[in-house]
Amino acid sequence: MARPTIHKTVQERKEAAQEKHRRYYAKHRDQILQRQRAHGVKKCDKEAEAISKEILRAVAKLHGCEDDDESGSDSDNSSDDDETDTLSNLPACLLAIKVAKDDMLPLIGADPCEFAKGKLGEYVKSIPDDCSTKGDISIIVNSISEIEKLLKRVIRAQDKILNFCGISPEWHAADTVSRFLKTTAAYLEDIQLLEMSRGIVELTTAQWLGELMYQKDIRI
């Protein structure tokens, strides 16, 4: 005899499937997170190594780029207009990308996912125990601002590289850094938007269910 149908509508079946996934996640949460962390560490180490190799390879191809390294670092502290003026040739552009990459790794680290997870943790810790007020969202906002400043420098140099030599290995090297920064900013903006539009309850629920952008390891 056939088993009776428990969930008769599409919506009922969808809700039942979601509840099943929630129970499975709650039961196997530690194992799931351990697998994700192991996979993420290996992937991020490879990506960080690839970024370094691509930038260094591009810089090394051009004569005189390494000799200008010190002066290029000093120009990083100048105004945007002054920095634009220094991007007068391809070696200078590649050096600017290298300096930005060197600034990027201490700020974010090798993994955008871990960075976003850490910032979310800082925000959650800033929420009072009695939940009488919201947490300090400036933790997220200020981090986005820092990344956007760095991204502007990269995009400026990347656009110049495109003018000098088109879609080339040098341009792809710059694009690797650009996409890394854009991905990190998108992870934080996802957290900020959810907190502002739906509140801390929905934010923590989304985090628990693994629905945040950084948890899905979405890359730009």
Side-chain angles (χ1 to χ4, degrees):
M1 182 178 179
R3 295 176 61 183
T5 302
I6 299 176
H7 309 293
K8 298 180 180 180
T9 67
V10 174
Q11 183 62 28
E12 288 177 347
R13 288 194 291 271
K14 181 179 179 180
E15 292 176 355
Q18 290 176 341
E19 181 61 29
K20 182 178 179 181
H21 289 314
R22 291 191 186 98
R23 290 198 302 268
Y24 181 87
Y25 179 82
K27 185 176 181 180
H28 302 283
R29 180 176 181 273
D30 292 339
Q31 297 94 315
I32 292 172
L33 293 179
Q34 186 176 0
R35 286 198 301 269
Q36 289 178 341
R37 282 193 292 267
H39 174 71
V41 169
K42 293 178 181 178
K43 183 172 182 179
C44 294
D45 287 345
K46 291 181 179 179
E47 289 185 352
E49 183 179 358
I51 290 174
S52 297
K53 285 183 177 179
E54 288 180 4
I55 294 296
L56 292 175
R57 211 164 32 230
V59 172
K61 283 178 63 179
L62 296 162
H63 178 70
C65 187
E66 293 183 358
D67 295 337
D68 296 333
D69 185 69
E70 184 175 350
S71 62
S73 298
D74 293 338
S75 68
D76 181 53
N77 297 321
S78 62
S79 66
D80 288 348
D81 291 338
D82 291 340
E83 184 177 352
T84 302
D85 292 340
T86 65
L87 303 178
S88 58
N89 53 53
L90 188 55
C93 292
L94 290 172
L95 182 58
I97 295 294
K98 180 180 180 298
V99 172
K101 188 265 301 183
D102 291 341
D103 292 340
M104 174 186 75
L105 293 179
L107 173 65
I108 300 172
D111 183 9
C113 297
E114 286 300 318
F115 179 77
K117 179 180 177 181
K119 289 300 176 182
L120 176 59
E122 291 180 30
Y123 169 74
V124 171
K125 289 180 181 178
S126 72
I127 301 173
D129 293 336
D130 59 1
C131 297
S132 56
T133 60
K134 289 185 176 182
D136 185 7
I137 195 62
S138 67
I139 294 172
I140 305 296
V141 174
N142 291 342
S143 295
I144 294 174
S145 178
E146 289 183 27
I147 293 170
E148 287 179 342
K149 289 178 183 177
L150 195 54
L151 181 59
K152 286 181 180 179
R153 289 165 48 192
V154 173
I155 291 177
R156 191 178 296 113
Q158 186 180 359
D159 289 344
K160 289 282 188 176
I161 292 172
L162 182 63
N163 292 334
F164 288 129
C165 55
I167 304 298
S168 58
E170 291 82 4
W171 183 89
H172 282 294
D175 189 54
T176 301
V177 179
S178 175
R179 286 187 290 106
F180 187 96
L181 290 168
K182 289 177 181 177
T183 296
T184 308
Y187 288 168
L188 296 179
E189 288 169 352
D190 179 51
I191 295 171
Q192 180 190 11
L193 180 61
L194 192 57
E195 190 275 341
M196 293 178 65
S197 62
R198 300 185 184 180
I200 186 62
V201 175
E202 288 295 327
L203 176 60
T204 53
T205 300
Q207 191 273 338
W208 184 76
L209 294 175
E211 294 177 352
L212 294 176
M213 190 175 177
Y214 82 85
Q215 292 176 300
K216 297 179 180 180
D217 198 21
I218 298 173
R219 302 288 169 135
I220 294 178

